[in-house]
Each structure stands twice: as C-alpha cells, then as structure tokens.
Amino acid sequence: RVLQYVIAGLVLGGIYAIASAGLVVTYLSAGILNFAFGALAYFVARFFYFLHTQHGWGIAPAAVVSLLVCAPGLGVFLYGTLFRLLRLSSPLIKVVTTLGLSVTIPPLATLLFGNQTILKAPGLAPEPVKVFHFIGVPVTMDQIIVYGCVLVVGGAGAVVLRYTDVGLRVRAMVDSPAMTSLSGTNPTAVSVGVWAASTFLAGLAGVLSAPIIGLDPSDYTLLMAAAFAAVIAAKLRNLPVAVIVGLLMGVAGALVQHYLP
C-alpha cells in the first residue's frame, strides 16, 4: 500500500529534518556548514548503544546521559578547542576542518567503545517495540517517537529563531560578533549554546537513525549528506523550509522504492 510507504518515508524524512535543523542552526550562528554532523551523530548513537546494550543501562538513563550530557558536552568541547578559533577563517578552512573531524570521530568512537560487530541497534522505544495500526498500516513506537521529535524540533526551533531575543542574537552572531557584544550579549555564551544545541540535534538524529540503518559510520555519513539537500533548499537559513524539505525528501524516496520494479 502507498500509505505504508509514505509513513515509512516520513520516518527517514523526519531524521533528515532534525539533521537539517542542526545544520541550519550552526550555519546561522557560526557561518560553518558542519560536514562532521554525521560523524557526531554516529558518535552519540554509538555511546547510547555502549551504555544501553553493552552495559545494561535502561533506555531512559542511557538516553539522558547520551543526548543531554554527552552530545551537548561534545559540542561545547569542540567549540572551546577548535571552532572558536575559526570565526575569522576563510570558508575553505572551515570546510576542511569539519571534513577532518568527520574522518577522525568514528575511529575515536571505536577506540573508546570497542569494535564489536553490531547486528541490531536499539532506538528510544522499549523492546519489544510496540506496533500500532493507523488506517490499517502498522506504525511502530520508534516511528511515533521520530514524528514527535520532528514536531518539537521543527516547531520550537522555528519559534525560537524567529520570534525570540535568543533567536535574534543567534542570527546576529554570524553577521557581526562585535555588534552583538556591543548590544550587551556575550557572543561566546551564544556560540556555546548553539554548538551544544547543534550536537544535541546530531545525537538525536543518530539515536533515532540507529534502528533503521544500524551503527555503521559510513551509513551515517550518507544519511546526513542527504540532509544537506534540505539545507541548501532552505538557502542555509530558513529552518522551517529545511524541516519541510527533509520530510518531503523522505516521502519521495519511499515512493520511488514503491513504484520502481
């Protein structure tokens, strides 16, 4: 049935949407198109697996530590040790730096968490994963969690960036950090918050992707590379457009699979 493919496509599209939101936020504030986003997503997803599966942590504590501690902490660490030094660098240097990170992070994850073969990666839904039916189409709890995350990220992100003082300060950062500072806002604090939020979104996209694509770093690179199409369609700045295009890309891909022999 076509509806079944549409619902499945919305899951992948939702992950594109979350990833594109993180990419847009980083570009808006720092002027950096983060090509290491997929590697960051993989690192956090692998850490979640390390806690939940390898060490027997429950889903909730593993998710809290992975998404609310490890992911933002990784973003703050990268900003403090690397990205704060790149603000005045050329676009080429920024791109090469993030590409270097994308190559470095997966081996670091292997070094920290082991290189065991992973046949099945859990998501945020308790196992065995519950299955519901919507108009005769099965929908898993993992899929419902993705839909909910997309609604929260897309809605909250658009409101914060467009209608709040925080969003105004974030958008002003890439244009003029000096003027942002003169307005009474600490540019460093804004940048730290943005990188923490961006890596949180990377980690969320990574953990949500794991039940679908597994835990192979090359698959994460390909998945997040697809999200760049949504970012480009949004002209690097429009978060709602990036989220909508990401969702449409997922549906379009699923429909192509349905209609091709």
Side-chain angles (χ1 to χ4, degrees):
R1 295 178 59 178
V2 174
L3 182 59
Q4 184 171 353
Y5 280 83
V6 170
I7 290 176
L10 281 172
V11 175
L12 196 56
I15 293 168
Y16 290 153
I18 292 171
S20 63
L23 291 165
V24 167
V25 166
T26 305
Y27 186 81
L28 274 176
S29 66
I32 294 176
L33 196 54
N34 187 6
F35 287 95
F37 198 87
L40 293 170
Y42 168 75
F43 185 93
V44 177
R46 184 65 183 84
F47 183 53
F48 175 78
Y49 181 90
F50 176 77
L51 294 178
H52 177 51
T53 302
Q54 293 178 228
H55 288 272
W57 286 36
I59 288 178
V64 167
V65 173
S66 300
L67 296 176
L68 300 182
V69 178
C70 173
L74 183 59
V76 172
F77 173 77
L78 289 175
Y79 171 76
T81 58
L82 183 63
F83 288 117
R84 69 181 178 85
L85 306 175
L86 298 180
R87 178 164 295 282
L88 300 179
S89 300
S90 68
L92 179 60
I93 291 177
K94 292 177 180 179
V95 167
V96 171
T97 301
T98 60
L99 287 174
L101 276 177
S102 71
V103 175
T104 305
I105 291 174
L108 178 62
T110 301
L111 185 65
L112 293 174
F113 309 132
N115 61 351
Q116 66 186 85
T117 301
I118 300 174
L119 301 177
K120 183 178 182 295
L124 295 178
E127 295 185 335
V129 179
K130 292 183 178 180
V131 179
F132 305 91
H133 288 83
F134 175 73
I135 317 178
V137 176
V139 181
T140 68
M141 180 58 75
D142 273 326
Q143 292 175 322
I144 292 173
I145 290 174
V146 172
Y147 303 148
C149 289
V150 172
L151 290 174
V152 171
V153 170
V159 169
V160 168
L161 285 176
R162 187 174 293 271
Y163 299 110
T164 67
D165 290 340
V166 173
L168 179 62
R169 293 166 186 168
V170 168
R171 297 198 307 274
M173 277 292 296
V174 72
D175 296 322
S176 177
M179 290 301 293
T180 302
S181 180
L182 289 174
S183 70
T185 301
N186 186 341
T188 299
V190 174
S191 296
V192 167
V194 165
W195 280 100
S198 177
T199 49
F200 162 75
L201 292 174
L204 180 62
V207 172
L208 294 176
S209 303
I212 302 171
I213 65 173
L215 277 174
D216 187 299
S218 61
D219 290 334
Y220 276 85
T221 300
L222 291 173
L223 183 71
M224 298 309 165
F228 277 92
V231 176
I232 298 302
K235 298 181 179 179
L236 303 176
R237 290 179 174 274
N238 195 320
L239 190 145
V241 170
V243 169
I244 292 170
V245 172
L247 289 170
L248 292 177
M249 283 173 52
V251 173
L255 290 177
V256 167
Q257 289 184 1
H258 173 65
Y259 286 109
L260 284 177

